[in-house]
Amino acid sequence: MSDEIKKNSYSADSIQALEGMEHVRMRPSMYIGDTGVRGLHHLVYEVVDNSIDEALAGHCDTIGVIINEDNSITVEDNGRGIPVDMHKKEGVSALEVVMTKIGAGGKFDKDSYKVSGGLHGVGVSCVNALSDHLRATVYRDGKIYEQEYEKGKSMYPVKQIGETTKRGTMVTFKPDATIFTQTLEYSYDTIAARMRELSFLNKGITITLTDRRHTKENGDFEGEVFHSKEGLKEFVRFLDGNRVPIISHVISMEHEKGEIPVEVALIYNDSYAENIFSYVNNINTHEGGTHLQGFRMGLTRTLKKYADASGLLEKLKFEISGDDFREGLTAIIS
Ligand code: 0RA
């Protein structure tokens, strides 16, 4: 290919990338659902999601989320750091590609164990496009690299700004007021609830949440540390709160079928309410699905078979149904 054609196709590619980012700004709700409170918070989840993926791939165990004084958000992890080397096809740093190209997310390791779903899985470039300002800092190979963006456009090429013994990625973004016209104020409780949920769904990861807008009496910032050793088992106990259990332990199982890991935890309490929560890739599947259907069927079949074999159904004057096995049930499938 002649240099001229190469140059042309390169600029054609970058125009396409630009259009992708421009399109996010033009139709934000296509990417983040809405531009109200929900969309504003989805930006945080999208960035955290990348760090969760890095943790699930086994490369990091701690994620820090900070609500800064100005309602900008910082997400930091101790993973490998987003690669900063030159991306051959794009002619810029891999970091810049991740940050400015729609759908570039997992491009660098296709085999990566992508489990975390993000909001619509749109990636951090989408957050960048919808931010007035974003700063990405990478701690990698003993060096600190940085790049900043305005409304998704890089302000300068990735530069080295120092040396470090740390490893990881830090992203700070300030949502664009011209996009998020309803509110720019983050809710601590909303973010905390999602971080708690993520820590239950991904046991072993530590997620710290700090609110720099508020200090406690001792001068420390408000915040919490979320960490779950037992995962869904603890989640079930948390959900059941003060309800009275009628079995002594949470029943739980983990299994991998093909490439798909499945986790289930359940307990019975003395109420009549059925509480089943289902997740796929860390996203609550409110509408249910085949995973939930399969669980219900399996539960009914198993308990019915047991009840039958133990003669428990002999005196029963009616056909026992699936509903009967779900009275007082609290369960989570992920
Ligand atoms: C792909 C490849 C590599 C790191 C990451 C993605 C990565 C992305 C994010 C986003 C937030 N935190 C992250 N941490 C890591 C590195 C591949 C390698 O070093 O071989």
Side-chain angles (χ1 to χ4, degrees):
M1 203 190 288
S2 78
D3 275 0
E4 199 45 44
I5 292 171
K6 233 191 269 174
K7 228 182 11 202
N8 284 343
S9 52
Y10 168 68
S11 54
D13 276 358
S14 39
I15 287 164
Q16 232 165 22
L18 186 73
E19 279 177 349
M21 295 292 272
E22 287 299 316
H23 192 256
V24 176
R25 293 181 56 77
M26 209 156 62
R27 298 267 182 277
S29 50
M30 278 182 62
Y31 297 84
I32 58 160
D34 66 63
T35 54
V37 181
R38 278 182 74 92
L40 186 75
H41 287 77
H42 277 150
L43 300 181
V44 182
Y45 309 154
E46 196 61 49
V47 179
V48 169
D49 221 64
N50 291 293
S51 299
I52 295 273
D53 273 338
E54 185 67 359
L56 292 175
H59 301 292
C60 89
D61 61 7
T62 306
I63 301 169
V65 178
I66 303 166
I67 310 170
N68 296 297
E69 294 92 322
D70 64 349
N71 273 290
S72 68
I73 297 286
T74 299
V75 177
E76 192 175 8
D77 68 52
N78 61 349
R80 292 168 296 176
I82 299 177
V84 292
D85 52 310
M86 188 66 73
H87 191 273
K88 283 213 184 74
K89 192 171 145 252
E90 305 293 338
V92 295
S93 159
L95 174 62
E96 180 159 344
V97 176
V98 169
M99 288 297 167
T100 62
K101 235 191 126 149
I102 294 301
K107 225 174 185 173
F108 302 101
D109 43 5
K110 274 216 178 74
D111 310 324
S112 74
Y113 194 60
K114 182 151 180 62
V115 172
S116 203
L119 140 75
H120 299 112
V122 288
V124 70
S125 56
C126 182
V127 176
N128 194 14
L130 301 176
S131 293
D132 201 42
H133 182 266
L134 185 146
R135 174 184 293 115
T137 313
V138 171
Y139 304 85
R140 195 177 158 92
D141 302 326
K143 300 183 180 79
I144 310 173
Y145 302 92
E146 200 157 271
Q147 188 168 41
E148 290 170 88
Y149 318 82
E150 274 174 348
K151 302 185 197 307
K153 287 183 183 154
S154 72
M155 297 167 70
Y156 51 81
V158 173
K159 64 181 178 195
Q160 191 192 322
I161 59 161
E163 298 192 345
T164 182
T165 53
K166 274 201 338 189
R167 229 176 44 120
T169 304
M170 179 164 76
V171 170
T172 299
F173 67 92
K174 176 109 180 78
D176 186 343
T178 66
I179 304 270
F180 299 93
T181 48
Q182 239 175 56
T183 180
L184 291 170
E185 190 168 340
Y186 276 107
S187 153
Y188 177 87
D189 290 341
T190 301
I191 296 178
R194 177 59 176 158
M195 297 308 117
R196 179 179 301 109
E197 183 180 48
L198 283 173
S199 73
F200 283 135
L201 292 168
N202 305 280
K203 65 183 167 202
I205 303 178
T206 300
I207 306 176
T208 65
L209 176 59
T210 307
D211 190 347
R212 290 203 166 138
R213 299 168 305 179
H214 299 107
T215 47
K216 297 186 283 198
E217 273 175 20
N218 68 4
D220 288 354
F221 291 122
E222 295 279 1
E224 272 166 281
V225 179
F226 302 105
H227 177 94
S228 175
K229 241 188 213 150
E230 292 186 304
L232 294 195
K233 267 194 194 183
E234 273 176 86
F235 201 178
V236 158
R237 279 192 226 108
F238 174 81
L239 288 174
D240 247 10
N242 293 326
R243 277 174 277 244
V244 180
I246 59 168
I247 56 174
S248 57
H249 292 92
V250 177
I251 297 168
S252 73
M253 53 207 91
E254 275 179 56
H255 190 68
E256 200 154 315
K257 189 154 189 187
E259 295 270 272
I260 304 171
V262 183
E263 278 184 76
V264 176
L266 61 98
I267 197 164
Y268 283 94
N269 61 56
D270 68 352
S271 82
Y272 296 100
E274 169 187 334
N275 253 322
I276 310 181
F277 292 83
S278 65
Y279 291 85
V280 175
N281 299 342
N282 284 335
I283 307 286
N284 193 320
T285 46
H286 295 278
E287 308 288 318
T290 52
H291 52 307
L292 186 59
Q293 242 180 327
F295 170 72
R296 285 158 164 263
M297 280 166 56
L299 186 77
T300 304
R301 196 191 321 119
T302 308
L303 293 182
K304 210 169 178 173
K305 202 169 141 192
Y306 171 78
D308 222 1
S310 350
L312 291 165
L313 301 179
E314 274 161 20
K315 286 189 216 125
L316 213 59
K317 295 194 178 68
F318 58 90
E319 181 74 15
I320 198 158
S321 74
D323 288 347
D324 298 314
F325 293 116
R326 292 193 295 273
E327 277 188 3
L329 173 69
T330 300
I332 305 162
I333 64 175
S334 178

